[in-house]
Amino acid sequence: MYEYQRLREFTEAVFVKMGCTAEDASLAGDVLLSADLRGIDSHGVARLIGYVRLWESERINPQPDIKVIHETPSTAVVDGDRGLGLVVAPKAMKIAMEKAEKVGTGWVSVKNSNHFGIAGYHAMMALEHDMTGMAMTNASPLVAPTFSRERLLGTNPIAMAFPTAKEPPFVADFATTTAANGKLEILQREEKDAPEGWVQSKEGEASTSPYEVKNGGALLPLGGDRVHGSHKGYCLGSIVDILSAVFSGANYGPWAPPFVSFLPLADNPVGEGLGHFLGAMRVDAFRPKEEFKVHMDQWIRRFRSASPVEGQEQVYIPGDPERAMEVERRKSGIPLNEKVVKDLTSLARKFDIAL
């Protein structure tokens, strides 16, 4: 087990070595470690070496000039200047919240950014201001649309967070695929097969190999196949791609830049970098704030009290498992896979930082 604060300090030190300001390194570390705390190990410090490699290949600008290039009272387009998505997205979310404070809602589409960690972090920023938050991003094209053999979409996650009165907030954070690519990376490290419905081979055939994507295959949209509703996952992923990239001027579909540095960028880009879409809605733009929060509590309590199926203790609401995991990991530490430890050790040597 690794203590949260020690990992946080190490992560921040790596970002500083990359050339980030102390303030941006702290923000990036906060976003990255929030994934580990919440049990989303695929998007935490396991990704740190990937960001370093992107920086080494000059695809990440450690000190970006993040700016609004177009706006209305309730909307904006932000150019991330190739910055860390871990930094660009929270700053764009802040702009969305500032607009929501003034006119009720705020919506920001971002171009020229990079991988932004877990979507839930950015959505939850709105909770402190009694706002509902939304965050989504397009990603590396690893997903085959229903009936396609080609990889045209990313895992394109969606997150929404709703404030409450006394209950913990409702936080939904999910990929629009049956599983995120990071889950395959975890299975590879653990030498386990993937469940059915996660991936297909390059010929479009069902597979359980966690290496299928590396071998030219594809992740599958939420649902797995047409019979189980993969066309709905395909629709959700497409909506994220359009809001994040077609709105902003980022690369969309198969032109979205890959997270791994060794894969080439598209020869004919249709935009700049990756795209994100952030939104904030002031609760009292719809109904009195306290009234809404009391009813959110009631909604949560009723769903939690639903009769569970046999063998299940209770029905959870979105955010419950991650919240419980965060409490446990803050107390007991964060477990790291041997391969992740090996990667972090190599970074410690590279930058002369104690792990």
Side-chain angles (χ1 to χ4, degrees), residues 47 139-146 148-156 175-185 188 194 197-201 209-210 212-214 216-222 224 230:
R47 293 258 176 179
S140 311
L142 301 175
V143 183
T146 303
S148 172
R149 284 191 293 183
E150 285 190 81
R151 307 192 311 202
L152 298 178
L153 287 171
T155 53
N156 294 9
T176 54
T177 48
T178 308
N181 187 50
K183 298 290 178 63
L184 289 182
E185 294 168 352
Q188 291 164 20
W198 280 27
V199 293
Q200 68 180 28
S201 69
S209 169
E212 208 62 78
V213 174
K214 287 185 175 180
L219 289 166
L220 293 171
L222 188 61
S230 66

Side-chain angles (χ1 to χ4, degrees), residues 3-67:
E3 187 184 69
Y4 164 76
Q5 191 57 36
R6 296 289 181 96
L7 279 178
R8 172 79 183 268
E9 290 169 1
F10 175 79
T11 300
E12 289 181 23
V14 170
F15 286 130
V16 168
K17 290 285 188 178
M18 286 169 55
C20 295
T21 64
E23 181 184 352
D24 283 356
S26 177
L27 177 56
D30 193 35
V31 179
L32 203 61
L33 266 295
S34 71
D36 291 296
L37 284 176
R38 294 174 69 80
I40 309 171
D41 298 333
S42 57
H43 284 58
V45 291
R47 293 258 176 179
L48 185 56
I49 196 167
Y51 292 113
V52 172
R53 287 168 177 163
L54 287 176
W55 166 68
E56 289 175 330
S57 63
E58 299 184 345
R59 281 178 48 196
I60 283 180
N61 176 6
Q63 294 198 27
D65 178 18
I66 301 167
K67 59 190 175 185

Side-chain angles (χ1 to χ4, degrees), residues 172-235:
D173 183 0
F174 57 96
T176 54
T177 48
T178 308
N181 187 50
K183 298 290 178 63
L184 289 182
E185 294 168 352
I186 291 172
L187 291 176
Q188 291 164 20
R189 291 193 286 266
E190 296 177 349
E191 299 182 353
K192 294 179 180 178
D193 285 341
E196 292 182 8
W198 280 27
V199 293
Q200 68 180 28
S201 69
K202 61 183 177 182
E203 290 80 24
E205 298 171 346
S207 174
T208 58
S209 169
Y211 295 95
E212 208 62 78
V213 174
K214 287 185 175 180
N215 295 331
L219 289 166
L220 293 171
L222 188 61
D225 57 37
R226 178 64 174 79
V227 174
H228 295 95
S230 66
H231 57 293
K232 299 176 183 178
Y234 170 27
C235 287

Side-chain angles (χ1 to χ4, degrees), residues 85-96:
L86 304 168
V87 172
V88 175
K91 293 187 177 183
M93 186 61 179
K94 186 178 178 184
I95 294 170

Side-chain angles (χ1 to χ4, degrees), residues 108-342:
V108 177
S109 197
V110 179
K111 71 172 183 175
N112 208 8
S113 186
N114 285 281
H115 190 278
F116 78 176
I118 59 170
Y121 179 96
H122 315 298
M124 288 190 292
M125 287 175 63
L127 297 175
E128 296 179 13
H129 304 275
D130 284 324
M131 296 180 186
T132 291
M134 176 188 290
M136 55 187 77
T137 183
N138 71 342
S140 311
L142 301 175
V143 183
T146 303
F147 301 142
S148 172
R149 284 191 293 183
E150 285 190 81
R151 307 192 311 202
L152 298 178
L153 287 171
T155 53
N156 294 9
I158 300 171
M160 288 202 72
F162 294 88
T164 52
K166 296 181 179 179
E167 293 293 330
F170 176 110
V171 181
D173 183 0
F174 57 96
T176 54
T177 48
T178 308
N181 187 50
K183 298 290 178 63
L184 289 182
E185 294 168 352
I186 291 172
L187 291 176
Q188 291 164 20
R189 291 193 286 266
E190 296 177 349
E191 299 182 353
K192 294 179 180 178
D193 285 341
E196 292 182 8
W198 280 27
V199 293
Q200 68 180 28
S201 69
K202 61 183 177 182
E203 290 80 24
E205 298 171 346
S207 174
T208 58
S209 169
Y211 295 95
E212 208 62 78
V213 174
K214 287 185 175 180
N215 295 331
L219 289 166
L220 293 171
L222 188 61
D225 57 37
R226 178 64 174 79
V227 174
H228 295 95
S230 66
H231 57 293
K232 299 176 183 178
Y234 170 27
C235 287
L236 286 171
S238 301
I239 290 167
V240 173
D241 203 35
I242 293 166
L243 289 173
S244 300
V246 181
F247 263 19
S248 68
N251 290 291
Y252 47 81
W255 293 279
F259 178 73
V260 290
S261 59
F262 58 82
L263 288 178
L265 298 174
D267 292 330
N268 54 341
V270 292
E272 296 177 83
L274 278 184
H276 317 312
F277 188 76
L278 297 307
M281 294 178 278
R282 225 172 58 209
V283 167
D284 63 4
F286 298 91
R287 70 187 298 187
K289 179 175 64 178
E290 296 310 319
E291 185 178 290
F292 170 84
K293 291 164 76 173
V294 165
H295 279 280
M296 274 303 303
D297 281 0
Q298 181 170 307
W299 189 99
I300 288 169
R301 289 166 187 153
R302 179 61 187 92
F303 275 72
R304 278 220 194 93
S305 67
S307 300
V309 296
E310 187 176 348
Q312 185 66 37
E313 254 183 60
Q314 71 166 90
V315 174
Y316 297 100
I317 66 153
D320 279 349
E322 293 85 357
R323 206 160 23 248
M325 182 67 76
E326 180 167 352
V327 170
E328 174 60 29
R329 289 190 169 184
R330 281 190 182 276
K331 183 176 77 172
S332 304
I334 297 170
L336 296 180
N337 178 276
E338 285 183 15
K339 186 178 184 303
V340 174
V341 173
K342 184 178 178 183

